[in-house]
């Protein structure tokens, strides 16, 4: 028995709003608030098909003419009886409709509660459920692709297969451990070594993918350094022109911390201190690059811009010094003008140099190809095998380590229970990824970070 939850699943302000209802009482609640135009009840209509009808308030007043769909358990997102109502998105319509659902046995859903139910009802494993939030917040097509493959079970499937092979192996060993007088078949040890070796390799590479996963999930903080007039703003504009940009005006902050994000293929560059790059009449801001240099400390990537049509200045030397030893690209700008810059000096300090004209766009292709390779995303496959959750990465690394320890035990002729103990440790860690071995606390913590309605 599950209680019935309801929530608005769409962001406020849109023309259309979606209300989701799930649980044993979903049929009763939705039948009370939605009346199909052709008579009968929504729950008697073909499931998964949109039905046109009227949406009613608690008192029976018609709030809207809209669409609704019915999904019968277990063939729904949560695995429970579910309805989705697509109505107009005004707070009045959505609020009144929700109130009517609440008056008919539903209650407000908590954050991620629909997905939590999907996980509990076996519609997806925990890694898949976590990927749902990644998909909701994905900022690049590649991040979305990776997350949707994980929802479909890419990580869960791989981990489950490895876990199954370890469980089977441990079962064989248990049989031996339980009859200590019998000789151990050397073939068993050989087989175990093969399984453990393969599992450790796969698990380490999955855990390591988290480095890239963080990049696709959080983006790369990036700063453009360069002396006044080198072409920093022009370069930013050219990058923005290459890919569509989003300007996020973070609530409660000033213009200075407006964050501009630029999608460069699979990489989301989070440009730091772009306010400093804008045209300004402030003489201090115009002359000094100190502020940008200070910002560079927080950057994971530096685009150091030099004016290729001019000699190196003291300010350029400061930019070189600040880029030293960092993940940096020297961008030699103004390639459409005669080159005057002493490139030899730049070459001594930068492993990556690109010549561009922010004005004509020449060379921008090379720059946008280079950026993904700087963060390990060139040629990356976004098939779900990139881990984006720190929790999963830690559990995978632990499982890999325990497999390696079990392998060592098997190779060095230790007693079978040593192999079993480490292999069981690995099985437990893998269960944390799939959700077979997690506490209620961990589950609650995961879904707390979800949006309401998902
Ligand atoms: P910032 O002070 O470093 O942000 O430099 P701006 O982007 O404002 O550019 C300074 C000047 O250089 C402006 O007049 C730009 O039009 C010019 N500029 C920028 N990039 C190029 C380029 O690639 N070629 C040429 N010819 N001029 C450029």
């Amino acid at each position: 028995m599950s209680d019935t939850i309801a929530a608005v699943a769409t962001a406020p302000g849109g023309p259309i709003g979606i209300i989701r209802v799930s649980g044993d009482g979903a049929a009763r609640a939705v039948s009370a608030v939605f009346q199909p135009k052709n008579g009968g009840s929504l729950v008697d209509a073909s499931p998964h098909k949109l039905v046109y009808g009227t949406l009613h308030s608690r008192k029976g007043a018609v709030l809207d003419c809209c669409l609704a769909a019915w999904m019968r358990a277990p063939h729904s997102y949560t695995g429970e009886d579910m309805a989705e109502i697509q109505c107009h998105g005004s707070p009045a319509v959505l609020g009144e409709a929700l109130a009517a659902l609440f008056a008919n046995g539903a209650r407000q859903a908590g954050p991620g509660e629909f997905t939590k139910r999907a996980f509990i009802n076996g519609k997806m494993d925990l890694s898949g459920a976590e990927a749902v939030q990644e998909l909701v917040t994905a900022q690049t097509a590649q991040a979305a692709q990776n997350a949707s493959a994980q929802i479909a079970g890419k990580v869960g499937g791989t981990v489950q297969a490895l876990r199954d092979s370890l469980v089977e192996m441990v079962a064989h060993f248990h049989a031996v451990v339980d009859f200590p007088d019998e000789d151990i078949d050397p073939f068993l040890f050989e087989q175990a070594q093969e399984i453990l070796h393969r599992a450790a390799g796969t698990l380490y590479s999955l855990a390591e993918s988290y480095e890239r996963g963080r990049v696709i999930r959080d983006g790369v903080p990036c700063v453009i350094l360069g002396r006044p007039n080198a072409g920093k703003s022009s370069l930013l504009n050219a990058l923005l022109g290459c890919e569509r940009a989003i300007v996020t005006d973070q609530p409660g902050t000033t213009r200075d911390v407006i964050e501009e994000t630029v999608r460069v293929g699979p990489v989301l560059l989070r440009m730091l201190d772009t306010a400093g790059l804008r045209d300004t009449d402030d003489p201090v801001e115009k002359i000094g690059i100190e502020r940008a240099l200070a910002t560079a400390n927080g950057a994971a990537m530096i685009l150091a811009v030099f004016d290729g049509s001019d000699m190196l200045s003291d300010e350029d030397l400061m930019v070189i010094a600040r880029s030293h030893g960092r993940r940096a690209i020297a961008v030699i700008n103004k390639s459409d003008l005669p080159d005057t810059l002493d490139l030899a000096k730049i070459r001594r300090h930068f492993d990556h140099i690109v010549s561009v004209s922010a004005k004509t766009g020449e060379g921008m292709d090379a720059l946008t190809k280079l950026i993904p390779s700087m963060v390990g995303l060139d040629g990356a496959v976004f098939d779900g095998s990139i881990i984006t959750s720190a929790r999963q990465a830690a559990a995978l690394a632990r499982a890999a380590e325990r497999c390696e320890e079990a392998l060592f035990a098997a190779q060095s002729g230790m007693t079978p229970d040593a192999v079993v103990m480490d292999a069981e440790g690995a099985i437990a860690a893998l269960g944390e990824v799939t959700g077979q071995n997690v506490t209620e606390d961990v589950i609650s913590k995961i879904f707390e970070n979800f949006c309401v309605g998902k």
Side-chain angles (χ1 to χ4, degrees):
M1 278 296 282
S2 65
D3 60 347
T4 302
I5 53 172
V8 176
T10 39
I16 300 293
I18 296 179
I19 298 173
R20 305 173 97 192
V21 190
S22 180
D24 289 346
R28 186 195 139 208
V30 79
S31 299
V33 305
F34 182 81
Q35 182 59 59
K37 187 92 173 135
N38 293 334
S41 166
L42 176 69
V43 300
D44 298 325
S46 308
H48 300 275
K49 296 233 164 76
L50 286 173
V51 174
Y52 183 64
T54 46
L55 186 63
H56 299 259
S57 73
R58 251 174 315 177
K59 292 189 175 147
V62 174
L63 292 167
D64 198 355
C65 295
C66 64
L67 296 165
W70 174 248
M71 288 144 280
R72 194 178 303 286
H75 306 292
S76 72
Y77 180 74
T78 57
E80 302 172 337
D81 279 350
M82 259 192 102
E84 280 190 17
I85 303 168
Q86 296 186 10
C87 53
H88 289 97
S90 67
V93 171
L94 292 169
E96 284 294 312
L98 259 191
L101 289 165
F102 296 160
N104 284 283
R107 66 160 171 85
Q108 173 65 48
E113 202 170 355
F114 292 92
T115 308
K116 185 178 179 181
R117 288 184 175 203
F119 161 65
I120 288 168
N121 294 326
K123 301 298 283 188
M124 55 181 84
D125 78 299
L126 194 55
S127 67
E130 280 181 298
V132 170
Q133 185 66 1
E134 300 292 334
L135 186 55
V136 171
T137 54
Q139 302 253 29
T140 61
Q142 290 82 354
Q145 240 171 282
N146 193 63
S148 82
Q150 290 184 354
I151 295 170
K154 176 74 182 184
V155 173
T158 307
V159 168
Q160 188 59 46
L162 288 175
R163 193 171 182 275
D164 288 348
S165 65
L166 292 174
V167 167
E168 198 182 332
M169 183 199 92
V170 165
H172 280 121
F173 270 85
H174 268 305
V176 176
V177 174
D178 293 344
F179 298 98
D181 294 340
E182 292 196 12
D183 280 342
I184 298 168
D185 185 351
F187 181 62
L188 190 59
F189 270 106
E190 256 171 53
Q191 257 188 333
Q193 286 174 33
E194 206 182 294
I195 291 167
L196 291 165
H197 180 71
R198 213 180 39 229
T202 308
L203 292 170
Y204 271 127
S205 79
L206 269 177
E208 279 162 13
S209 73
Y210 178 59
E211 270 304 303
R212 279 169 287 145
R214 255 188 17 196
V215 170
I216 63 169
R217 192 193 60 200
D218 299 335
V220 180
C222 176
V223 71
I224 302 180
L225 291 184
R227 65 158 137 121
N229 285 326
K232 300 181 294 297
S233 306
S234 307
L235 179 70
L236 178 65
N237 286 335
L239 281 170
L240 292 176
C242 290
E243 298 281 329
R244 268 206 328 279
I246 321 154
V247 178
T248 347
D249 204 348
Q250 291 175 347
T253 56
T254 65
R255 177 181 172 275
D256 274 11
V257 279
I258 286 174
E259 184 180 280
E260 225 139 351
T261 56
V262 187
R263 277 184 286 235
V264 181
V267 183
L268 186 79
L269 289 183
R270 295 181 26 225
M271 308 308 297
L272 304 176
D273 195 33
T274 51
L277 300 182
R278 296 206 173 89
D279 281 346
T280 174
D281 293 331
D282 178 349
V284 180
E285 205 172 313
K286 258 204 142 87
I287 303 162
I289 55 170
E290 266 311 314
R291 200 172 98 189
L293 289 177
T295 310
N297 290 334
M301 189 190 296
I302 294 173
L303 299 178
V305 185
F306 300 94
D307 184 340
S309 68
D310 204 353
M311 314 276 274
L312 273 184
S313 69
D314 284 352
E315 281 165 320
D316 288 327
L317 297 180
M318 279 166 72
V319 169
I320 290 176
R322 193 48 71 103
S323 308
H324 188 77
R326 305 287 299 275
R327 186 189 281 148
I329 301 175
V331 181
I332 315 300
N333 190 31
K334 310 196 185 181
S335 64
D336 54 301
L337 298 178
D339 54 328
T340 314
L341 190 73
D342 177 10
L343 261 187
K345 185 143 194 129
I346 306 259
R347 278 204 195 95
R348 276 207 297 279
H349 294 276
F350 288 88
D351 291 333
H352 307 279
I353 301 176
V354 187
S355 171
V356 306
S357 167
K359 191 174 178 180
T360 66
E362 188 192 4
M364 289 302 292
D365 259 8
L367 179 61
T368 52
K369 280 202 183 94
L370 178 59
I371 288 170
S373 76
M374 298 283 290
V375 291
L377 285 186
D378 56 327
V381 183
F382 302 93
D383 63 351
S385 52
I386 300 178
I387 300 294
T388 49
S389 144
R391 188 194 75 83
Q392 289 172 31
L396 289 163
R398 234 179 308 123
E401 218 175 282
R402 297 302 293 270
C403 283
E404 236 180 14
E405 278 161 18
L407 178 63
F408 175 74
Q411 279 169 339
S412 54
M414 287 162 84
T415 55
D417 42 335
V419 180
V420 165
M421 197 178 71
D422 283 318
E424 281 178 343
I427 290 167
L430 293 179
E432 289 176 39
V433 177
T434 56
Q436 286 146 302
N437 189 33
V438 277
T439 60
E440 181 56 37
D441 280 359
V442 172
I443 294 173
S444 300
K445 197 113 211 96
I446 288 170
F447 291 105
E448 249 169 41
N449 298 321
F450 273 53
C451 323
V452 172
K454 193 58 228 177

